[in-house]
Amino acid sequence: MPILRSAFIALSKNRTMRRFSERSSIGRKMSSRFVAGLELEDAIRVAEAVNRQGISVTLDSLGESVTTEGEAQQAAQIYHQLLDQIAARKLNANISVKLTQMGLELSPKLADGIAESLAKHASATNNFLRIDMEDSSLTQTTLNIVRRIHAFPELRGAIGIVIQAYLYRSQADIEQLVAEGIRVRLCKGAYKEPAEVAFPSKADVDKNYVLLSGLLLESPIYHGLATHDEAMIAEAKKFAAKHGIDPSHFEFQMLYGVRRDLQRKLIQEGYNVRVYIPFGREWYPYFMRRLAERPANVIFLAKNFFRA
Ligand code: FDA
């Protein structure tokens, strides 16, 4: 793993830097490139603007690794409000949730219960709950929770998961999820993982991403391919064309503030695109992972900052 990527991932876990940055106005200004704003209203406003471009969204109320049950319940409330707001304002939007924000590290039962109630609410409002994937120590528990909730007949289709192409186990996981009819978002993976569990080289991660995209595209379920990598996107388009898979059968997903040109181009070509929109006060770890993916962003942000 390149040194800068490792350094930003280490910084993403630094509590002192986090406390300092989240309170500073400079930090907030820098992060606004990737984060919609601090409040739920900011996220709704940005979602409406993105929807107007023909792009659907998924909303993420930032935060992870809560330390009390109260914090987990509070985080869940924001998502319940989001589901109501999406319905009331008829947004083309769903929600993305991290189980550590719902208390997974305190008690898997707590996170499981909160996820189930969110899935029920999503189902009642004709919506969908995506469970984000975090580091590999949580993969199995996250899969167990999503599969358990999806097994309720009335919640079928209301909950989905994320699979990371950098993990060796992902092909087997996808085969099982597809057999159970569970919607998958495929991404490369954003955490620092040891070679025992994840491909260390980018070439191998990319190769696996292409292989797994094919498995998802040819399955009868609607999945999401989350990537800004034009080579991955080109391979998916090629696979779909070759196998007669209609563009309406899947969607590309990208992060708010990243490759807006490519998002628009895909829409013009007739593909479905969904943008992941994070908002909230706890933006620091998310922001640092985005810098880890592309350290050149630091220079880009600094230039814009001093220009403004
Ligand atoms: P890659 O990193 O190879 O980048 C390809 C090109 O994309 C770069 O050359 C650059 O041009 C552009 N690019 C990528 N990242 C950029 C950035 N931050 N800023 C500017 N340009 C950038 N991960 C995870 O572990 N669990 C999860 O639940 C999710 N969820 C998720 C949802 C959505 C909608 C997306 C798009 C991504 C995630 N991820 C994630 C993150 C994912 O795992 C991965 O870290 C990033 O998407 C970067 O990988 P790419 O596929 O874009 O390719």
Side-chain angles (χ1 to χ4, degrees):
M1 174 178 285
I3 294 167
L4 267 174
R5 177 161 146 75
S6 303
F8 280 118
I9 290 187
L11 266 178
S12 79
K13 295 180 189 151
N14 185 304
R15 283 169 194 274
T16 314
M17 275 295 285
R18 176 173 174 177
R19 221 171 302 130
F20 171 75
S21 308
E22 285 180 350
R23 285 176 192 170
S24 89
S25 59
I26 296 177
R28 249 180 266 151
K29 194 169 169 201
M30 296 278 250
S31 67
S32 66
R33 176 76 169 81
F34 298 113
V35 174
L38 298 182
E39 309 299 336
L40 191 144
E41 259 316 304
D42 297 320
I44 300 286
R45 190 174 30 78
V46 171
E48 281 171 342
V50 173
N51 275 178
R52 278 197 290 275
Q53 299 171 43
I55 299 175
S56 60
V57 307
T58 186
L59 296 171
D60 167 32
S61 169
L62 289 165
E64 41 205 84
S65 298
V66 297
T67 50
T68 65
E69 178 171 352
E71 280 173 10
Q73 297 293 359
Q74 223 174 338
Q77 277 320 307
I78 298 179
Y79 278 106
H80 283 294
Q81 283 172 30
L82 271 178
L83 286 169
D84 288 334
Q85 285 293 319
I86 291 169
R89 306 206 194 190
K90 300 190 171 52
L91 293 176
N92 187 353
N94 60 36
I95 55 171
S96 286
V97 172
K98 285 190 173 47
L99 288 181
T100 60
Q101 194 188 10
M102 303 301 137
L104 185 65
E105 290 156 317
L106 293 172
S107 141
K109 211 165 153 237
L110 170 66
D112 184 298
I114 290 178
E116 186 181 325
S117 72
L118 284 170
K120 283 184 179 149
H121 193 167
S123 170
T125 52
N126 263 327
N127 211 323
F128 174 76
L129 160 66
R130 174 80 64 188
I131 300 295
D132 284 349
M133 190 57 85
E134 301 177 70
D135 72 60
S136 63
S137 68
L138 303 167
T139 309
Q140 192 57 52
T141 326
T142 304
L143 279 158
N144 294 347
I145 290 175
V146 171
R147 291 178 56 221
R148 190 192 74 81
I149 295 172
H150 192 268
F152 290 110
E154 71 277 17
L155 297 181
R156 205 181 154 79
I159 186 168
I161 199 165
V162 178
I163 292 293
Q164 298 151 324
Y166 62 20
L167 295 184
Y168 303 132
R169 59 176 291 164
S170 289
Q171 181 172 351
D173 288 336
I174 283 190
E175 283 164 1
Q176 187 175 36
L177 290 162
V178 162
E180 292 174 24
I182 298 179
R183 280 166 67 175
V184 173
R185 169 200 297 153
L186 180 66
C187 67
K188 290 192 188 178
Y191 298 82
K192 185 172 159 61
E193 298 292 356
E196 291 77 54
V197 299
F199 295 104
S201 91
K202 175 171 160 55
D204 286 334
V205 177
D206 289 357
K207 211 165 101 191
N208 204 35
Y209 193 98
V210 173
L211 173 84
L212 301 180
S213 310
L215 294 181
L216 294 176
L217 288 172
E218 68 187 2
S219 87
I221 306 141
Y222 185 90
H223 299 292
L225 301 179
T227 182
H228 316 94
D229 188 333
E230 294 192 62
M232 301 298 105
I233 293 169
E235 288 291 337
K237 286 177 176 174
K238 206 164 77 187
F239 186 96
K242 187 170 163 204
H243 294 85
I245 297 160
D246 195 80
S248 64
H249 181 61
F250 62 97
E251 65 187 27
F252 289 112
Q253 300 185 351
M254 294 188 205
L255 302 176
Y256 175 66
V258 179
R259 294 301 312 265
R260 285 178 278 206
D261 56 332
L262 188 52
Q263 296 169 17
R264 279 194 292 270
K265 182 167 163 268
L266 287 168
I267 287 289
Q268 279 159 11
E269 290 172 354
Y271 292 97
N272 293 330
V273 177
R274 185 180 301 276
V275 166
Y276 185 103
I277 301 180
F279 71 97
R281 296 178 182 274
E282 296 178 45
W283 48 264
Y284 178 82
Y286 176 88
F287 180 59
M288 284 296 153
R289 285 199 298 276
R290 301 295 77 84
L291 296 186
E293 281 152 12
R294 191 165 175 263
N297 276 336
V298 176
I299 298 163
F300 169 84
L301 286 171
K303 272 194 198 148
N304 281 311
F305 181 75
F306 289 114
R307 203 179 292 147

